[in-house]
Amino acid sequence: MRNKIVKELETTFSNQGDFFIEEELVDKTTIFLMGFKTLVDLPKSKLYIQQIEDSSRSAKALFMNLSNRINVNTEQLIEGILEGNLVIVSLDGKQNAVVNPFIQNLRSSVSEPKNESPIQSSTDAFGDDINTNVGMIRKRLTTTSLCHCSYQVGELEKRKLSMLYIEGRTPNALIEKVEQQLKGIKNDIETIDELNLQFGKRRFSPVSHLFATELPISAIHALKRNKIVLFLDNCPFALVFPNLLWDMLFSINDRNFPFILSFMLRFFRVIGLVATLILPALYVALVSVNPEVFKLDLALFVAKSREGIPLTAFLETIAMVVLVDLILEAIVRLPKSVGPAITMVGGIILGQAMVEAKLVSNLLVIVITAVVIASSSVIGMQNSLYIRLLKYPILILASLFGILGVCTGFIFTIIYLASLTSDDIPYMTFRIKKEGEIK
Amino acid sequence: MTQRIQIGAVFIIIHLSFGYVVYPNLIYMLTKTAHWEVIICQGLLQLILIWIYMKGLNYFPAQNVTDIFLKMGRWAAIIFLTPFAINLIALASLNIRIHTEVIISIFLPRTPYWAILILLFFISVYTALKGLGTILRSAIFIFLFVIPLVVLNIFSSVINFNIHNVTPGLNFPPKFLLDIKFFYLLGFSSFIFLGFITSKTKLIFRQLLAVWVIVTVLFLAIVYIPLFIFGQDTVVTLKNPFLEAMDSIDISWFSFNRQAIFFGVLLVGLVILTNSVLFWLIGTIMQKIYRWNSSNWIIAFSFIALLIALVVPNKSLLEKYFLWSSGAQALFMIIIPLALFIYGFWSNGGVRGHEKQ
Amino acid sequence: MKNNRLFQFIVVFLTVILLCGCWDIKDINKRTIPLVLGISKTNGGEYKVTLQIPVLKNESQVSKVVTGTGETITSALGKIRTNSENAIDYTQIRLIVVQNHLAHNQKEFTNIVKFLMGSEEIPSRSLMAITDENVEGVLSSINDKLGVHASSIYDFFNKGADWAPEIFSTPVWEVYRSLFSSTKDIAVPLIRSGRNTVLIFEGSDILKKGEIMDRLKPEEIQLIRVLQNKNEKGKIESLGFASIMVSNSSIRLKPSLNNDKPSLSSNLNIKINVLERNDGVTNKKIMEELERIIEERFFHILKRMQESHTDIFGFGQEFQQLISYNELKNWRDEYFPDLKVNFEVEVNME
C-alpha cells in the first residue's frame, strides 16, 4: 500500500516516538502527511491543506500551491522533516512537497530559566510540556541520529517519559540498560528522586544519578557527550543520565568565553568546591586542635579574637553553619518580596550582633561567609546542596582529630564519590566513551 | 590509557608510603657514604624483577597471578599465595601502625594511637570493600592531592641544605649487597600488586619504566633531604630523620608554621590508599583460592590486622617486625615472578605464542 | 542484604570513631602560649625553667614571666603546667635562652640540646641563645620597655640578614647537628637585656661538640658568616678615615691535600659603597685598608681556632672529597691545626 519513499522515511524515523504518518484523501487519491508531532501542529495543518485543496483543480496543482519545494529527493525530504516541516507524498510516490506547516506553539511558552542564570548565552528554558521540550531539542539538533523513545510509566497515572540519545554515540549497552530500567518501572513516578531510584539503590546517597538542567544548550551538550537525556511530563527539566562530577564544575556556557577565561571560571569552581568542604572544618581544626600550625603572630591574633567567647570552636562553628543553611532555606521558602528582608536581618544578626555580643569570633564570620559564597559557585542547585551536606561529616571529624580529621574526612569524601557508579559508569569519570570506542 | 595512568599513580603512592618512614633509616644504617649507590642498586634489582614478572605475565594474557597459579594447580596457589596473603596482613597492620606513630607525633601528641589506628583502618577497609575501580579512581585524586605536597616539601627544604654535609664518593666493592638489610630494603618496593590487576589492562613495560624513574628520583629525594640538612653523623641519631628535617624548616613569609604538617597530611593520603590496596589484594587472592565472598575475607583479615597493630607494644619491636615482614615480602617478590616466568616458559614450550597471535 | 550489612558496619565504625578522640582538643584562647623558654640552674642543683608568656587582655602589660623548678627540665615544665590557669602549649616557643653556667658545662648543655631536639612539643626550629645575666631578668626586662610586643624578643633575632648582618641566629637543630659533626662547629649568640631596647647582642660563643671553646665579638662573627658563604649585605665598617657599606660578597674556596697536609686557597670578593670619607682619601687607600683589616682579622681568628682545635669556619666540609669519611672524623685534631689557608681579599667599588 505504502510506496517506497514513505517506507524509507518510516524506517529512517522508526526510532522516533513523535514521528507520524497520516493518510489523507485528496481529490480521490491518498496523500501521506509526515512530520514530527512535537514540531508540527497537525490539525491546523490539515485544515490548511483542505482549504488549499478546495481552490486547486488537481492533486498536482495542490502540491504546486502548497509549496515551492516540490518533487525533491529523499534526502531533502528527511532534512525537511527534521527542520520541522510537514512533508506530503502522493500515493504513487511520484509527487512530494515540503510544506511550511503551522508550527507547534513552542516559543510562547518558553520562559527564562528560574534556577540558573546563564551569561552570554540563549536564555530559553524548558517548560512543562514534554512535546515542547523535545521539540526544543529537535530544533537545535537537526540530525537523524537523534533518537527519541517514549514511555508511559506508572501504576495509577500513566506518566509520559521520553528518552533521547544520539545513535552511534551513546554506548548501546548503556541504552539497553536504561531502557530496561525504564520499562521496569512499576510504581508511580511523582518526583525526580523516584525516577532516580529506578537506576539503582542510592537511598542514603546525596548524589543523584540524574543531573537536572533547565537549559536546552546543556541538554544538547550532554547528548553530544554520549549521555542520555530524559524528559518527564510536566517537569521543566531535562534530566541528564548519568550525572558526573564534572557536570558540577564544567558548563558548556563557559566556553562562550575564550579558553583562558573559561579555565579560570572552572578553576574557581574547584576552589569553591574544596573550600566549602574543608573551610569550616579547617577553622575548627586550627583553632581548637592544632593551633601550632599558625605562625606566632597569627596565633596571637586568633587567640585575641576568640578571647572571652564562651562557646567552644566546634559549637560556634556548627551553630553558625546550621544558621546559615537555615537562612538559605528560608530565602527559598519566602515570597520574593519578603526574601530580601530575611537576608538583611540575617546579615545584621550574624555579621554584627553575634560578634559584638562576643558569642562567636569575627574570624569565624569571615570563614562562614566565604563558605556560603563558595558553595554557590558550583553548577546546579542540587550539587550545591549536596556539597553543603558533605561538609558536616568533615567538620565533625575535624573537631575530634584536628587537621588529621580534615584530611581523612576529605580523603574519605573523595573515596566515597569515587565509589559511586550509575549503570557501571563511574561518577568520577571524565567522559563517557563513544559507542565502539576502545580504551 | 586512563587505567594505566591510574595504575601508575597507585604504584607511586605505594612506593612513597613505604619509602617515607623506615626506608631512610635503613639506608643510613647500610652505608655511610654514597647513599645513591644503594638506592640505584635496589632500584635496578627491582626493575629486573619487574621485567621478569611482566614477561611471565605476558605468557598468560588477560589473566592475573591467582588465575595463573590456579592453572598450575590448586596446590600451587595454596602453597604460593596463602603465605603471601598472610604476610600481607602483617605488612598492612605494621605499615599502618608505623604511620600512625609518625602521624601522632606530628598532629596529636596526646591522643592514644588506637583511636587514629581505628580511623585509618576504617577508611582503608571501606575503600578495599568498594573494589578495585574505586581504589584506582580515588588514587588519581589522592595522587593529585599528595604530589604537590611532596614537591612543596622537597623545595621548601632547600633553604636548609648544605651540600657539604654529604660525602659523594663511590663505595667499591659494594659490600652492602651482602647485608641482610639490603634484602629487607628490597621488600620496600612492592610491585607484586601489578600482577593482580592485569586481567583488565595489559601493562606496558616502557610506561612502567617511566614510573620507576619517578619513584627512584623521589626515593633519592627522601634519603638525601635529611642528609643535606643534618649530615650522616647526625641523621643516624634521629628516630625519624625525614620528619625532623621537615620540622627544621622555617619559612618566614609563609603563614603556616610547621612544614611537618604537610608531611603528615601526605602520609595520611598515602597510608590509606596503600592499605586499601593491600586489603584488596588479600580479598582477591583468598576469594579465588577458597571461594568465599571477598568482602568477608577483607573484613575478617582486616580485623586480624587491626588486632596485630593494636598489640605491638613499642616502636623498636614494631620496626623489627616490620623489617621481617618486608623481608618476607622481598622473598615473595623474587619467588612469584620467577615461578610465573618459569611456568610460562615451560608451558608455552619456550615460544611466546599468545602474544604474537 | 549485603548492602545492608555494609551499612551496619559503617554505622558501628562511625560510632566507635565518634567515641574516641577528644584528647588534644583545647581552644586556642584556652591555651597559654609561651614564646621564650629560659633554662638555668638553681644553687641547689635543680633546673629552673622560665617562660615568657604574652598577655592578651591587658593593655599595659605585654607579657608575664612564669618560673618553675624541678630535677629535670621535663619535671620543671610539668610543674608549670600543673600550676598554670590554662593549658600550656609549648609548640610556639621561638627562643631558648640558656644561662652561662649551664652552657659552660659540656655534659649539661649536651643533654639540654638533646632534650630540646627529642621533645615533640618544643619545635626544633626555635633559636638558641646564651646569656651571662640572670635568665629571669632578661625575660622580664621586656615589660619596662615602651612600644614593644610580646614577640619582641623573638623578632630581635628575626630581623633578616639585610637589616642586621651581625646577628647570628642559631636554631636548636643546628646546635644538635654540631654535637655530632666532626668538621663543623657552631656559634651560639650571646645576649643580655638592654637599657632602652629589649636585648643587646654581645657576640657569640663558639661550641665544639657542646663545649664552649671561645667567645667572638660581633664583627668577628660577621666574617665567619661571610666565610660560610652567607651573603653579607648592609654591613657597615668604619675604617677611621672613611666608612663603607658592604653591598655584596662572595667567596670561593679551593681545598687541596699535599702529603696529608691540608691547604685551602680562598678568594673573598667584596663590593663596597663608600658612605663617608675624609678629604683626600682615595678609593685605592680605602680598598687597601679594608683588605688589610679583613685579612688581619681572619688570621687572628684562625690562629685562635687552630689552637683550640675548633673549626668554626666549617673548612673541614670542603675536604669531603679529598679525605675519606673515617679519616675526616679526626679532622679537628689531626688535620685542622696544620691547615694552611691562603686567604685573599679583593675589594671592589660599586
Side-chain angles (χ1 to χ4, degrees):
Chain A
M1 183 61 194
R2 290 182 176 179
N3 62 51
K4 219 177 82 195
I5 295 180
V6 176
K7 270 184 189 150
E8 199 180 331
L9 290 177
E10 200 178 357
T11 45
T12 311
F13 294 109
S14 60
N15 275 331
Q16 320 295 353
D18 51 351
F19 180 70
F20 68 87
I21 301 179
E22 290 270 322
E23 291 175 24
E24 182 87 8
L25 206 65
V26 177
D27 197 19
K28 291 177 199 100
T29 60
T30 318
I31 59 168
F32 295 100
L33 308 179
M34 281 167 285
F36 283 122
K37 263 183 249 171
T38 47
L39 296 175
V40 177
D41 190 343
L42 194 56
K44 277 188 189 165
S45 304
K46 271 185 184 170
L47 208 67
Y48 170 66
I49 290 167
Q50 274 157 13
Q51 279 170 2
I52 301 283
E53 185 201 339
D54 292 341
S55 63
S56 43
R57 274 165 287 140
S58 65
K60 198 176 175 182
L62 170 70
F63 278 81
M64 301 269 279
N65 286 341
L66 273 171
S67 158
N68 49 5
R69 280 168 75 188
I70 52 169
N71 299 344
V72 292
N73 58 18
T74 323
E75 275 91 76
Q76 279 175 307
L77 285 181
I78 292 171
E79 202 176 299
I81 289 177
L82 286 172
E83 278 165 4
N85 295 324
L86 181 70
V87 165
I88 305 175
V89 179
S90 68
L91 184 65
D92 53 2
K94 281 185 183 143
Q95 286 174 325
N96 57 37
V98 181
V99 180
N100 258 338
F102 284 89
I103 50 169
Q104 280 279 15
N105 220 348
L106 293 177
R107 288 285 169 194
S108 67
S109 66
V110 172
S111 60
E112 297 217 337
K114 295 282 189 302
N115 301 329
E116 288 167 78
S117 47
I119 301 170
Q120 257 195 31
S121 86
S122 148
T123 50
D124 285 356
F126 291 119
D128 276 347
D129 183 39
I130 190 165
N131 284 336
T132 318
N133 290 346
V134 177
M136 284 170 85
I137 298 266
R138 282 232 185 266
K139 221 38 219 162
R140 288 170 170 81
L141 197 65
T142 49
T143 165
T144 42
S145 40
L146 175 68
C147 297
H148 175 207
C149 309
S150 304
Y151 306 91
Q152 298 254 328
V153 294
E155 200 181 11
L156 183 68
E157 49 152 6
K158 289 282 177 222
R159 205 156 173 198
K160 271 195 225 158
L161 195 63
S162 290
M163 173 169 86
L164 278 84
Y165 58 91
I166 295 179
E167 201 175 20
R169 288 235 179 165
T170 316
N172 288 338
L174 181 68
I175 298 167
E176 273 164 35
K177 262 185 201 157
V178 172
E179 203 157 16
Q180 269 177 9
Q181 279 159 338
L182 290 179
K183 279 179 182 158
I185 297 176
K186 293 280 186 312
N187 44 347
D188 278 359
I189 299 293
E190 205 176 340
T191 58
I192 297 177
D193 191 49
E194 274 168 342
L195 185 62
N196 168 39
L197 288 180
Q198 300 300 325
F199 295 104
K201 284 265 179 277
R202 267 200 200 170
R203 188 168 292 277
F204 295 105
S205 163
V207 187
S208 169
H209 289 288
L210 299 165
F211 175 71
T213 177
E214 268 190 312
L215 306 174
I217 306 174
S218 13
I220 286 166
H221 183 65
L223 284 172
K224 285 182 182 162
R225 301 280 291 183
N226 317 335
K227 293 184 193 170
I228 292 174
V229 169
L230 300 171
F231 282 105
L232 201 57
D233 203 6
N234 298 325
C235 166
F237 289 103
L239 306 170
V240 179
F241 178 91
N243 177 21
L244 300 184
L245 178 70
W246 309 108
D247 292 339
M248 168 163 35
L249 306 171
F250 302 165
S251 148
I252 182 63
N253 278 335
D254 303 342
R255 294 313 314 275
N256 290 327
F257 302 107
F259 172 76
I260 192 81
L261 294 184
S262 65
F263 177 79
M264 180 192 80
L265 288 176
R266 290 165 180 189
F267 185 67
F268 281 139
R269 285 192 201 118
V270 174
I271 292 180
L273 171 66
V274 176
T276 314
L277 287 177
I278 68 170
L279 218 51
L282 209 57
Y283 174 80
V284 174
L286 289 181
V287 163
S288 75
V289 188
N290 291 100
E292 76 269 14
V293 175
F294 285 134
K295 263 252 179 303
L296 177 62
D297 302 342
L298 202 58
L300 291 179
F301 167 75
V302 175
K304 222 172 200 168
S305 84
R306 281 192 53 80
E307 200 55 61
I309 289 168
L311 299 177
T312 60
F314 173 66
L315 275 182
E316 67 167 348
T317 311
I318 200 124
M320 286 295 277
V321 171
V322 169
L323 209 57
V324 161
D325 277 350
L326 279 178
I327 290 180
L328 287 178
E329 180 58 19
I331 292 171
V332 175
R333 294 290 141 240
L334 284 168
K336 278 215 170 79
S337 49
V338 194
I342 285 287
T343 326
M344 210 168 68
V345 171
I348 290 170
I349 290 176
L350 294 180
Q352 289 294 133
M354 281 183 108
V355 172
E356 264 173 31
K358 290 228 163 191
L359 212 55
V360 297
S361 111
N362 39 19
L363 198 65
L364 177 67
V365 175
I366 298 169
V367 170
I368 295 294
T369 319
V371 169
V372 173
I373 294 167
S375 72
S376 317
S377 68
V378 297
I379 298 164
M381 192 58 205
Q382 163 200 348
N383 287 330
S384 160
L385 274 175
Y386 101 71
I387 59 170
R388 267 159 58 193
L389 173 69
L390 286 181
K391 74 178 178 246
Y392 287 99
I394 302 182
L395 182 60
I396 292 168
L397 272 177
S399 72
L400 294 175
F401 295 102
I403 289 191
L404 173 72
V406 177
C407 170
T408 46
F410 189 62
I411 289 172
F412 186 71
T413 311
I414 288 176
I415 290 169
Y416 170 71
L417 293 180
S419 74
L420 296 176
T421 54
S422 8
D423 283 341
D424 293 336
I425 292 175
Y427 178 60
M428 274 196 169
T429 195
F430 284 89
R431 63 193 200 94
I432 298 170
K433 287 189 182 74
K434 216 163 146 178
E435 171 62 23
E437 192 183 347
I438 31 166
K439 285 174 192 174
Chain B
M1 190 62 206
T2 332
Q3 204 165 18
R4 291 212 189 92
I5 295 173
Q6 289 171 336
I7 292 170
V10 173
F11 190 86
I12 293 175
I13 287 175
I14 291 184
H15 277 80
L16 276 182
S17 161
F18 285 122
Y20 264 124
V21 278
V22 186
Y23 185 82
N25 302 36
L26 215 54
I27 297 257
Y28 303 142
M29 274 190 263
L30 264 173
T31 179
K32 283 181 172 145
T33 54
H35 303 78
W36 56 269
E37 208 183 329
V38 185
I39 301 167
I40 299 284
C41 274
Q42 179 241 349
L44 286 176
L45 216 63
Q46 175 199 6
L47 200 63
I48 292 166
L49 286 173
I50 293 180
W51 185 78
I52 294 173
Y53 197 37
M54 290 291 107
K55 277 270 178 276
L57 283 168
N58 280 346
Y59 285 122
F60 311 94
Q63 276 180 317
N64 70 23
V65 175
T66 337
D67 293 330
I68 299 169
F69 274 105
L70 280 173
K71 208 168 152 191
M72 230 186 264
R74 219 172 115 81
W75 55 271
I78 291 174
I79 288 175
F80 280 109
L81 294 180
T82 316
F84 178 62
I86 289 168
N87 185 47
L88 280 181
I89 302 173
L91 198 66
S93 70
L94 297 172
N95 180 37
I96 210 163
R97 174 71 193 273
I98 282 182
H99 278 81
T100 308
E101 299 278 349
V102 180
I103 287 166
I104 280 180
S105 68
I106 297 173
F107 292 114
L108 305 160
R110 273 170 290 270
T111 306
Y113 67 88
W114 54 264
I116 291 162
L117 214 55
I118 289 173
L119 179 74
L120 294 179
F121 252 96
F122 167 68
I123 296 178
S124 44
V125 171
Y126 174 83
T127 318
L129 286 178
K130 287 286 179 182
L132 183 63
T134 304
I135 294 175
L136 289 178
R137 263 171 268 138
S138 45
I140 284 286
F141 289 90
I142 292 176
F143 184 74
L144 289 178
F145 162 76
V146 157
I147 286 300
L149 294 178
V150 173
V151 174
L152 176 80
N153 272 344
I154 291 173
F155 279 99
S156 65
S157 61
V158 171
I159 56 162
N160 278 351
F161 274 12
N162 184 352
I163 304 166
H164 296 300
N165 279 336
V166 178
T167 319
L170 190 69
N171 266 344
F172 203 81
K175 271 181 271 174
F176 58 83
L177 285 177
L178 298 173
D179 199 323
I180 182 78
K181 289 196 186 94
F182 184 73
F183 183 66
Y184 292 152
L185 202 65
L186 203 58
F188 281 80
S189 51
S190 50
F191 55 83
I192 289 289
F193 82 96
L194 290 173
F196 290 87
I197 46 187
T198 44
S199 50
K200 278 184 193 151
T201 325
K202 196 170 164 290
L203 295 165
I204 295 173
F205 186 71
R206 202 158 13 100
Q207 289 169 344
L208 273 180
L209 192 70
V211 176
W212 174 84
V213 169
I214 296 174
V215 166
T216 311
V217 168
L218 287 174
F219 272 11
L220 280 171
I222 292 171
V223 170
Y224 269 89
I225 285 175
L227 273 183
F228 276 136
I229 293 179
F230 295 112
Q232 168 72 22
D233 294 322
T234 315
V235 144
V236 287
T237 65
L238 296 170
K239 265 183 278 170
N240 209 323
F242 196 84
L243 176 58
E244 295 289 355
M246 287 297 119
D247 243 342
S248 75
I249 299 161
D250 192 6
I251 303 176
S252 50
W253 51 266
F254 205 52
S255 60
F256 287 114
N257 199 3
R258 290 186 75 191
Q259 297 292 303
I261 286 283
F262 297 115
F263 175 54
V265 166
L266 80 91
L267 271 192
V268 174
L270 295 176
V271 74
I272 287 175
L273 202 88
T274 306
N275 264 46
S276 62
V277 170
L278 294 181
F279 285 136
W280 176 82
L281 272 183
I282 296 172
T284 40
I285 292 173
M286 298 312 270
Q287 181 199 16
K288 284 225 167 121
I289 298 179
Y290 296 102
R291 303 200 180 83
W292 194 35
N293 193 339
S294 115
S295 34
N296 293 342
W297 278 115
I298 292 175
I299 292 175
F301 275 23
S302 66
F303 198 69
I304 297 172
L306 178 62
L307 288 182
I308 296 175
L310 284 174
V311 295
V312 175
N314 60 42
K315 225 186 152 189
S316 58
L317 268 183
L318 181 69
E319 265 172 33
K320 204 160 102 190
Y321 293 156
F322 185 72
L323 285 187
W324 286 352
S325 167
S326 82
Q329 179 78 2
L331 204 65
F332 286 114
M333 274 166 36
I334 295 167
I335 290 174
I336 291 178
L338 281 178
L340 280 186
F341 184 72
I342 292 165
Y343 177 65
F345 193 76
W346 172 74
S347 68
N348 284 306
V351 194
R352 293 176 58 198
H354 282 285
E355 219 180 15
K356 273 171 191 157
Q357 273 164 21
Chain C
M1 183 57 210
K2 194 193 141 202
N3 209 352
N4 197 16
R5 209 162 53 202
L6 190 68
F7 184 68
Q8 286 170 1
F9 173 74
I10 291 171
V11 167
V12 168
F13 261 98
L14 280 181
T15 23
V16 171
I17 286 168
L18 291 183
L19 286 176
C20 50
C22 311
W23 291 271
D24 281 279
I25 301 166
K26 196 89 204 171
D27 285 353
I28 189 166
N29 51 324
K30 302 267 162 38
R31 296 186 191 215
T32 301
I33 307 169
L35 302 183
V36 184
L37 170 70
I39 302 171
S40 58
K41 221 163 188 185
T42 58
N43 293 330
E46 280 195 317
Y47 284 100
K48 185 171 167 198
V49 170
T50 317
L51 295 174
Q52 188 233 334
I53 298 166
V55 178
L56 296 174
K57 291 169 213 165
N58 204 327
E59 291 293 316
S60 62
Q61 196 189 11
V62 282
S63 75
K64 61 177 178 178
V65 170
V66 177
T67 57
T69 53
E71 277 173 17
T72 59
I73 301 175
T74 327
S75 69
L77 288 174
K79 259 181 201 162
I80 296 181
R81 206 167 237 167
T82 323
N83 298 334
S84 162
E85 313 84 56
N86 282 334
I88 295 191
D89 183 349
Y90 294 116
T91 52
Q92 291 284 4
I93 287 180
R94 304 314 302 263
L95 176 67
I96 292 152
V97 184
V98 183
Q99 187 136 28
N100 60 347
H101 60 84
L102 257 182
H104 283 281
N105 184 334
Q106 187 188 7
K107 209 173 136 227
E108 296 265 25
F109 190 74
T110 312
N111 283 340
I112 289 174
V113 173
K114 280 186 179 164
F115 162 76
L116 291 173
M117 191 69 185
S119 158
E120 268 170 8
E121 282 196 72
I122 300 171
S124 60
R125 297 180 298 284
S126 49
L127 306 176
M128 280 199 93
I130 296 174
T131 182
D132 287 345
E133 286 180 32
N134 188 357
V135 169
E136 232 178 308
V138 175
L139 297 195
S140 56
S141 77
I142 189 172
N143 280 330
D144 326 328
K145 312 294 183 305
L146 279 175
V148 287
H149 302 287
S151 56
S152 289
I153 293 188
Y154 166 67
D155 291 342
F156 173 80
F157 287 94
N158 234 15
K159 285 190 278 255
D162 291 356
W163 296 93
E166 291 95 343
I167 289 185
F168 207 98
S169 58
T170 311
V172 171
W173 64 267
E174 274 187 29
V175 181
Y176 181 79
R177 179 175 73 185
S178 81
L179 295 184
F180 301 93
S181 171
S182 48
T183 48
K184 195 178 172 192
D185 294 307
I186 197 144
V188 178
L190 197 68
I191 54 168
R192 66 180 168 82
S193 58
R195 198 169 297 149
N196 301 316
T197 54
V198 179
L199 294 175
I200 287 178
F201 180 67
E202 284 195 311
S204 290
D205 278 342
I206 305 303
L207 270 83
K208 178 174 106 180
K209 299 218 166 196
E211 189 185 356
I212 293 181
M213 305 302 291
D214 206 339
R215 175 166 291 187
L216 296 182
K217 293 194 212 66
E219 63 267 20
E220 293 170 327
I221 279 298
Q222 203 235 341
L223 185 63
I224 289 167
R225 279 182 69 101
V226 172
L227 286 164
Q228 287 174 349
N229 211 358
K230 283 180 180 143
N231 198 355
E232 280 311 305
K233 275 192 210 159
K235 160 73 182 162
I236 295 170
E237 190 91 37
S238 173
L239 301 172
F241 48 81
S243 68
I244 55 104
M245 187 171 80
V246 178
S247 63
N248 202 353
S249 75
S250 66
I251 187 156
R252 239 191 10 260
L253 298 170
K254 209 169 156 219
S256 58
L257 201 63
N258 291 325
N259 299 333
D260 269 5
K261 291 277 177 278
S263 68
L264 193 75
S265 73
S266 90
N267 279 312
L268 178 66
N269 260 306
I270 292 180
K271 267 194 178 163
I272 57 165
N273 271 336
V274 179
L275 299 177
E276 53 183 319
R277 65 174 101 187
N278 293 352
D279 287 344
V281 178
T282 58
N283 283 349
K284 194 159 174 280
K285 194 178 172 196
I286 294 175
M287 292 197 290
E288 276 172 0
E289 178 67 12
L290 190 66
E291 280 170 17
R292 195 187 60 77
I293 287 179
I294 293 176
E295 276 170 30
E296 191 182 317
R297 207 180 273 164
F298 170 76
F299 282 111
H300 176 66
I301 303 173
L302 183 69
K303 191 156 164 275
R304 267 160 63 190
M305 289 299 128
Q306 281 181 332
E307 274 165 13
S308 61
H309 295 198
T310 311
D311 186 1
I312 181 67
F313 306 102
F315 284 151
Q317 305 255 20
E318 303 290 329
F319 287 87
Q320 296 259 8
Q321 254 102 320
L322 300 173
I323 303 173
S324 77
Y325 178 80
N326 289 326
E327 295 278 303
L328 207 60
K329 292 228 174 226
N330 304 323
W331 164 259
R332 284 198 193 92
D333 298 327
E334 284 180 13
Y335 294 94
F336 184 62
D338 303 329
L339 178 70
K340 291 272 173 297
V341 182
N342 181 14
F343 187 72
E344 276 173 16
V345 185
E346 201 177 311
V347 177
N348 291 312
M349 286 290 182
E350 188 111 279

